[in-house]
Amino acid sequence: MIAPRLLALSDLHVRYPENRAIVDGLRPRSEADWLIVAGDVAERVDDVVAALALLRERFATVVWVPGNHELWTRSRDPVTLRGEHRYRHLVQACRELRVLTPEDPFAVWTGEGGPAIVAPLFLLYDYSFLPADTSTPDEGLAAAYRAGVVCTDEHLLHPDPFPDRPAWCAARVAYSRDRLAECDPELPTVLVNHWPLTRLPTRVLRHPEFSLWCGTQQTADWHVRYRATAVVYGHLHIPRVTWEDGVRFLEVSLGYPREWGARGVPDPLLRTVLPAS
Ligand SMILES: [Fe+2]
Ligand SMILES: [Fe+2]
């Protein structure tokens, strides 16, 4: 019998038919494999739900966190909800599929490499990953606009009912801190968030100003503080593994067809989080 694995993938972007075909072809190796889906499944709610439903049929457990694309409110989507209301709508849809979200009790991986608490997080960003030579979010944003590097979130990711995205991020950080503080202190964790938890992975961005939309300094020590055995993220579309303080950080994206078309689909596409190889 093949030992079950805790697997991860992000940035499926199934709006592209080529990506949809790849997702359609995903299969577990063991019927007891778990799959972490670390955000940016799609923009339209029905596309997100269809992709997660398909994966839920195939994997024993599916854990999802939202990416920025799920939170975009576009005119073509019949679901016109914005911000927190949109997120809660997606959480409800996941519950109907029995897909785990940041609002559910954390599951414990007890297969090889475990036990470990699998903690899906939704933390957003607060413009604290500042570009060089800037010292405030306003200065950072001004530099980004000057460079012509502005994330589409500015137009489509609405923070309602919060006054702005940093306020929503602060609320998410506080909620997640409380949830992680309640965890069994004897168990290690797998921390899952669409945006990187630390600044380091953004150092290789082609456009450094884009780091503003990539995370928050408030989580810089969470991999140590919350005993992570691995951190899983996406968003950057730069698949790789880095290490900080002896902790493995896995960027598990598929990315856009133009990206994987140029460099090849990550092999293997489903990254193994546990057991650590
Ligand atoms: Fe993405
Ligand atoms: Fe993203």
Side-chain angles (χ1 to χ4, degrees), residues 212-250:
L212 288 164
W213 293 275
C214 289
T216 169
Q217 294 284 13
Q218 296 182 77
T219 57
D221 67 347
W222 282 25
H223 57 290
V224 175
R225 181 186 296 235
Y226 300 115
R227 312 170 304 284
T229 183
V231 176
V232 175
Y233 69 99
H235 188 57
L236 303 187
H237 295 200
I238 304 173
R240 63 179 179 145
V241 176
T242 52
W243 292 81
E244 291 181 69
D245 304 305
V247 179
R248 210 166 25 119
F249 286 67
L250 297 95

Short mmCIF file of all heavy atoms in Angstrom, two decimals, residues 212-250:
data_model
loop_
_atom_site.label_atom_id
_atom_site.label_comp_id
_atom_site.label_asym_id
_atom_site.label_seq_id
_atom_site.Cartn_x
_atom_site.Cartn_y
_atom_site.Cartn_z
N LEU A 212 4.24 45.06 -2.03
CA LEU A 212 3.21 45.74 -1.22
C LEU A 212 1.95 44.89 -1.09
O LEU A 212 1.25 44.96 -0.07
CB LEU A 212 2.85 47.08 -1.86
CG LEU A 212 3.90 48.18 -1.75
CD1 LEU A 212 3.58 49.30 -2.74
CD2 LEU A 212 3.95 48.72 -0.33
N TRP A 213 1.65 44.11 -2.12
CA TRP A 213 0.41 43.32 -2.16
C TRP A 213 0.67 41.86 -1.80
O TRP A 213 -0.09 40.98 -2.17
CB TRP A 213 -0.23 43.42 -3.56
CG TRP A 213 -0.73 44.80 -3.84
CD1 TRP A 213 -1.96 45.33 -3.49
CD2 TRP A 213 -0.03 45.86 -4.52
NE1 TRP A 213 -2.04 46.64 -3.92
CE2 TRP A 213 -0.89 46.99 -4.55
CE3 TRP A 213 1.25 45.96 -5.11
CZ2 TRP A 213 -0.51 48.20 -5.14
CZ3 TRP A 213 1.62 47.17 -5.68
CH2 TRP A 213 0.74 48.27 -5.70
N CYS A 214 1.76 41.61 -1.08
CA CYS A 214 2.20 40.22 -0.88
C CYS A 214 2.22 39.74 0.57
O CYS A 214 2.60 38.60 0.80
CB CYS A 214 3.57 40.01 -1.50
SG CYS A 214 3.52 40.05 -3.31
N GLY A 215 1.85 40.55 1.53
CA GLY A 215 1.86 40.02 2.89
C GLY A 215 1.93 41.12 3.93
O GLY A 215 1.67 42.30 3.63
N THR A 216 2.27 40.72 5.13
CA THR A 216 2.35 41.66 6.25
C THR A 216 3.53 41.31 7.15
O THR A 216 3.79 40.13 7.42
CB THR A 216 1.05 41.65 7.09
OG1 THR A 216 1.28 42.38 8.30
CG2 THR A 216 0.57 40.25 7.44
N GLN A 217 4.19 42.34 7.65
CA GLN A 217 5.31 42.12 8.57
C GLN A 217 4.83 41.53 9.90
O GLN A 217 5.63 41.01 10.67
CB GLN A 217 6.03 43.45 8.86
CG GLN A 217 6.73 44.06 7.66
CD GLN A 217 8.03 43.36 7.30
OE1 GLN A 217 8.32 42.26 7.80
NE2 GLN A 217 8.81 43.96 6.43
N GLN A 218 3.54 41.61 10.15
CA GLN A 218 3.00 41.13 11.43
C GLN A 218 3.16 39.62 11.61
O GLN A 218 3.04 39.12 12.72
CB GLN A 218 1.52 41.49 11.55
CG GLN A 218 1.26 42.98 11.57
CD GLN A 218 -0.22 43.26 11.76
OE1 GLN A 218 -0.74 43.14 12.86
NE2 GLN A 218 -0.90 43.60 10.68
N THR A 219 3.43 38.89 10.52
CA THR A 219 3.55 37.44 10.63
C THR A 219 5.00 36.97 10.47
O THR A 219 5.24 35.78 10.29
CB THR A 219 2.68 36.76 9.55
OG1 THR A 219 3.07 37.24 8.25
CG2 THR A 219 1.21 37.07 9.74
N ALA A 220 5.95 37.90 10.59
CA ALA A 220 7.35 37.59 10.28
C ALA A 220 7.90 36.44 11.12
O ALA A 220 8.79 35.71 10.66
CB ALA A 220 8.21 38.84 10.45
N ASP A 221 7.42 36.28 12.36
CA ASP A 221 7.98 35.22 13.22
C ASP A 221 6.99 34.09 13.48
O ASP A 221 7.21 33.26 14.36
CB ASP A 221 8.45 35.81 14.56
CG ASP A 221 7.28 36.32 15.40
OD1 ASP A 221 6.15 36.45 14.87
OD2 ASP A 221 7.49 36.59 16.60
N TRP A 222 5.90 34.02 12.74
CA TRP A 222 4.88 33.02 13.04
C TRP A 222 5.36 31.59 12.82
O TRP A 222 4.91 30.68 13.50
CB TRP A 222 3.60 33.27 12.20
CG TRP A 222 2.77 34.39 12.74
CD1 TRP A 222 3.21 35.44 13.52
CD2 TRP A 222 1.37 34.59 12.57
NE1 TRP A 222 2.16 36.27 13.83
CE2 TRP A 222 1.02 35.78 13.25
CE3 TRP A 222 0.38 33.89 11.89
CZ2 TRP A 222 -0.28 36.26 13.29
CZ3 TRP A 222 -0.93 34.38 11.92
CH2 TRP A 222 -1.24 35.55 12.62
N HIS A 223 6.26 31.39 11.87
CA HIS A 223 6.74 30.02 11.63
C HIS A 223 7.49 29.49 12.85
O HIS A 223 7.46 28.29 13.11
CB HIS A 223 7.62 29.97 10.37
CG HIS A 223 8.80 30.89 10.40
ND1 HIS A 223 8.69 32.26 10.33
CD2 HIS A 223 10.13 30.62 10.52
CE1 HIS A 223 9.90 32.80 10.38
NE2 HIS A 223 10.79 31.83 10.50
N VAL A 224 8.12 30.37 13.61
CA VAL A 224 8.80 29.96 14.84
C VAL A 224 7.80 29.94 16.00
O VAL A 224 7.68 28.96 16.72
CB VAL A 224 9.97 30.92 15.15
CG1 VAL A 224 10.59 30.57 16.50
CG2 VAL A 224 10.99 30.88 14.04
N ARG A 225 7.08 31.03 16.13
CA ARG A 225 6.14 31.19 17.25
C ARG A 225 5.10 30.06 17.30
O ARG A 225 4.73 29.60 18.38
CB ARG A 225 5.42 32.53 17.10
CG ARG A 225 4.44 32.85 18.21
CD ARG A 225 3.68 34.12 17.88
NE ARG A 225 4.59 35.26 17.84
CZ ARG A 225 4.44 36.36 18.55
NH1 ARG A 225 3.43 36.46 19.37
NH2 ARG A 225 5.29 37.34 18.46
N TYR A 226 4.66 29.62 16.14
CA TYR A 226 3.61 28.59 16.10
C TYR A 226 4.12 27.23 15.63
O TYR A 226 3.36 26.42 15.12
CB TYR A 226 2.42 29.09 15.26
CG TYR A 226 1.81 30.35 15.83
CD1 TYR A 226 1.86 31.55 15.14
CD2 TYR A 226 1.23 30.35 17.10
CE1 TYR A 226 1.33 32.72 15.69
CE2 TYR A 226 0.71 31.51 17.66
CZ TYR A 226 0.76 32.69 16.94
OH TYR A 226 0.24 33.85 17.49
N ARG A 227 5.42 27.01 15.81
CA ARG A 227 6.01 25.66 15.68
C ARG A 227 5.78 25.04 14.31
O ARG A 227 5.45 23.86 14.20
CB ARG A 227 5.44 24.71 16.76
CG ARG A 227 5.44 25.26 18.15
CD ARG A 227 4.65 24.38 19.11
NE ARG A 227 3.29 24.12 18.73
CZ ARG A 227 2.29 25.01 18.84
NH1 ARG A 227 2.51 26.21 19.34
NH2 ARG A 227 1.07 24.69 18.43
N ALA A 228 5.94 25.83 13.25
CA ALA A 228 5.68 25.28 11.91
C ALA A 228 6.73 24.25 11.53
O ALA A 228 7.93 24.45 11.72
CB ALA A 228 5.66 26.41 10.88
N THR A 229 6.23 23.14 10.99
CA THR A 229 7.14 22.19 10.36
C THR A 229 7.23 22.50 8.86
O THR A 229 8.19 22.15 8.20
CB THR A 229 6.68 20.74 10.61
OG1 THR A 229 7.63 19.85 10.03
CG2 THR A 229 5.31 20.46 10.00
N ALA A 230 6.21 23.21 8.36
CA ALA A 230 6.24 23.70 6.98
C ALA A 230 5.28 24.88 6.86
O ALA A 230 4.28 24.95 7.59
CB ALA A 230 5.84 22.60 6.01
N VAL A 231 5.60 25.79 5.95
CA VAL A 231 4.72 26.90 5.60
C VAL A 231 4.40 26.77 4.12
O VAL A 231 5.30 26.59 3.30
CB VAL A 231 5.39 28.26 5.88
CG1 VAL A 231 4.49 29.41 5.41
CG2 VAL A 231 5.72 28.42 7.35
N VAL A 232 3.10 26.82 3.80
CA VAL A 232 2.65 26.65 2.41
C VAL A 232 2.01 27.95 1.95
O VAL A 232 1.15 28.50 2.63
CB VAL A 232 1.61 25.50 2.33
CG1 VAL A 232 1.05 25.39 0.91
CG2 VAL A 232 2.24 24.18 2.77
N TYR A 233 2.44 28.45 0.80
CA TYR A 233 1.87 29.69 0.26
C TYR A 233 1.93 29.66 -1.26
O TYR A 233 2.45 28.71 -1.87
CB TYR A 233 2.63 30.92 0.81
CG TYR A 233 4.04 31.04 0.28
CD1 TYR A 233 4.33 31.91 -0.77
CD2 TYR A 233 5.08 30.27 0.78
CE1 TYR A 233 5.62 32.01 -1.28
CE2 TYR A 233 6.36 30.35 0.28
CZ TYR A 233 6.63 31.24 -0.75
OH TYR A 233 7.90 31.33 -1.27
N GLY A 234 1.36 30.69 -1.89
CA GLY A 234 1.38 30.81 -3.34
C GLY A 234 1.51 32.27 -3.71
O GLY A 234 2.38 32.97 -3.21
N HIS A 235 0.64 32.75 -4.60
CA HIS A 235 0.50 34.15 -4.97
C HIS A 235 1.63 34.69 -5.84
O HIS A 235 1.39 35.46 -6.75
CB HIS A 235 0.36 35.02 -3.71
CG HIS A 235 0.02 36.45 -3.99
ND1 HIS A 235 -1.10 36.82 -4.71
CD2 HIS A 235 0.66 37.62 -3.67
CE1 HIS A 235 -1.14 38.16 -4.80
NE2 HIS A 235 -0.09 38.65 -4.19
N LEU A 236 2.87 34.32 -5.54
CA LEU A 236 3.99 34.90 -6.29
C LEU A 236 4.16 34.28 -7.67
O LEU A 236 4.80 34.86 -8.53
CB LEU A 236 5.30 34.75 -5.50
CG LEU A 236 5.30 35.35 -4.09
CD1 LEU A 236 6.71 35.28 -3.50
CD2 LEU A 236 4.81 36.79 -4.08
N HIS A 237 3.61 33.09 -7.87
CA HIS A 237 3.82 32.36 -9.13
C HIS A 237 5.32 32.14 -9.36
O HIS A 237 5.79 32.23 -10.49
CB HIS A 237 3.18 33.09 -10.32
CG HIS A 237 1.69 33.19 -10.25
ND1 HIS A 237 0.90 33.44 -11.35
CD2 HIS A 237 0.82 33.06 -9.21
CE1 HIS A 237 -0.38 33.48 -10.99
NE2 HIS A 237 -0.44 33.25 -9.69
N ILE A 238 6.02 31.87 -8.27
CA ILE A 238 7.45 31.54 -8.35
C ILE A 238 7.63 30.26 -7.54
O ILE A 238 7.96 30.29 -6.36
CB ILE A 238 8.33 32.67 -7.76
CG1 ILE A 238 8.03 34.01 -8.47
CG2 ILE A 238 9.81 32.31 -7.90
CD1 ILE A 238 8.74 35.20 -7.85
N PRO A 239 7.37 29.10 -8.20
CA PRO A 239 7.41 27.83 -7.44
C PRO A 239 8.83 27.55 -6.93
O PRO A 239 9.78 27.57 -7.71
CB PRO A 239 7.00 26.77 -8.48
CG PRO A 239 6.43 27.53 -9.64
CD PRO A 239 7.05 28.89 -9.61
N ARG A 240 8.96 27.34 -5.64
CA ARG A 240 10.27 26.99 -5.08
C ARG A 240 10.14 26.67 -3.60
O ARG A 240 9.08 26.87 -3.00
CB ARG A 240 11.29 28.11 -5.27
CG ARG A 240 10.94 29.39 -4.56
CD ARG A 240 12.03 30.42 -4.80
NE ARG A 240 11.71 31.67 -4.13
CZ ARG A 240 12.62 32.47 -3.59
NH1 ARG A 240 13.90 32.16 -3.63
NH2 ARG A 240 12.26 33.59 -3.01
N VAL A 241 11.23 26.20 -3.04
CA VAL A 241 11.31 25.92 -1.60
C VAL A 241 12.42 26.78 -1.02
O VAL A 241 13.51 26.85 -1.59
CB VAL A 241 11.61 24.43 -1.34
CG1 VAL A 241 11.79 24.17 0.16
CG2 VAL A 241 10.51 23.55 -1.91
N THR A 242 12.12 27.47 0.08
CA THR A 242 13.15 28.22 0.80
C THR A 242 13.11 27.78 2.26
O THR A 242 12.15 27.16 2.71
CB THR A 242 12.90 29.75 0.71
OG1 THR A 242 11.56 30.03 1.11
CG2 THR A 242 13.13 30.27 -0.70
N TRP A 243 14.16 28.12 2.97
CA TRP A 243 14.24 27.74 4.39
C TRP A 243 14.51 28.99 5.22
O TRP A 243 15.34 29.83 4.84
CB TRP A 243 15.40 26.75 4.60
CG TRP A 243 15.17 25.42 3.97
CD1 TRP A 243 15.35 25.10 2.66
CD2 TRP A 243 14.70 24.23 4.62
NE1 TRP A 243 15.02 23.77 2.46
CE2 TRP A 243 14.63 23.22 3.63
CE3 TRP A 243 14.34 23.92 5.95
CZ2 TRP A 243 14.21 21.91 3.93
CZ3 TRP A 243 13.92 22.64 6.24
CH2 TRP A 243 13.86 21.64 5.24
N GLU A 244 13.82 29.10 6.35
CA GLU A 244 14.09 30.17 7.30
C GLU A 244 14.00 29.57 8.70
O GLU A 244 13.00 28.90 9.02
CB GLU A 244 13.08 31.32 7.17
CG GLU A 244 13.22 32.10 5.88
CD GLU A 244 12.22 33.25 5.80
OE1 GLU A 244 12.35 34.21 6.56
OE2 GLU A 244 11.30 33.15 4.96
N ASP A 245 15.01 29.80 9.49
CA ASP A 245 15.03 29.27 10.87
C ASP A 245 14.78 27.76 10.89
O ASP A 245 14.11 27.25 11.81
CB ASP A 245 13.99 30.00 11.75
CG ASP A 245 14.20 31.50 11.76
OD1 ASP A 245 15.32 31.93 12.09
OD2 ASP A 245 13.26 32.23 11.39
N GLY A 246 15.28 27.06 9.89
CA GLY A 246 15.12 25.61 9.85
C GLY A 246 13.73 25.16 9.41
O GLY A 246 13.42 23.97 9.46
N VAL A 247 12.87 26.10 8.97
CA VAL A 247 11.50 25.77 8.55
C VAL A 247 11.43 25.83 7.02
O VAL A 247 11.94 26.75 6.39
CB VAL A 247 10.48 26.75 9.16
CG1 VAL A 247 9.07 26.41 8.70
CG2 VAL A 247 10.58 26.73 10.69
N ARG A 248 10.73 24.83 6.46
CA ARG A 248 10.54 24.75 5.01
C ARG A 248 9.38 25.63 4.58
O ARG A 248 8.28 25.51 5.11
CB ARG A 248 10.23 23.29 4.66
CG ARG A 248 10.67 22.81 3.33
CD ARG A 248 10.61 21.27 3.30
NE ARG A 248 9.66 20.68 4.24
CZ ARG A 248 8.61 19.94 3.88
NH1 ARG A 248 8.38 19.66 2.63
NH2 ARG A 248 7.81 19.44 4.80
N PHE A 249 9.61 26.52 3.63
CA PHE A 249 8.56 27.36 3.04
C PHE A 249 8.35 26.89 1.61
O PHE A 249 9.28 26.97 0.78
CB PHE A 249 8.98 28.84 3.03
CG PHE A 249 8.93 29.50 4.39
CD1 PHE A 249 9.79 29.14 5.41
CD2 PHE A 249 8.01 30.51 4.63
CE1 PHE A 249 9.74 29.76 6.65
CE2 PHE A 249 7.95 31.15 5.87
CZ PHE A 249 8.81 30.77 6.89
N LEU A 250 7.14 26.45 1.29
CA LEU A 250 6.88 25.92 -0.05
C LEU A 250 5.96 26.85 -0.82
O LEU A 250 4.83 27.11 -0.37
CB LEU A 250 6.20 24.54 0.04
CG LEU A 250 6.97 23.41 0.70
CD1 LEU A 250 6.59 23.30 2.17
CD2 LEU A 250 6.64 22.10 0.02
#
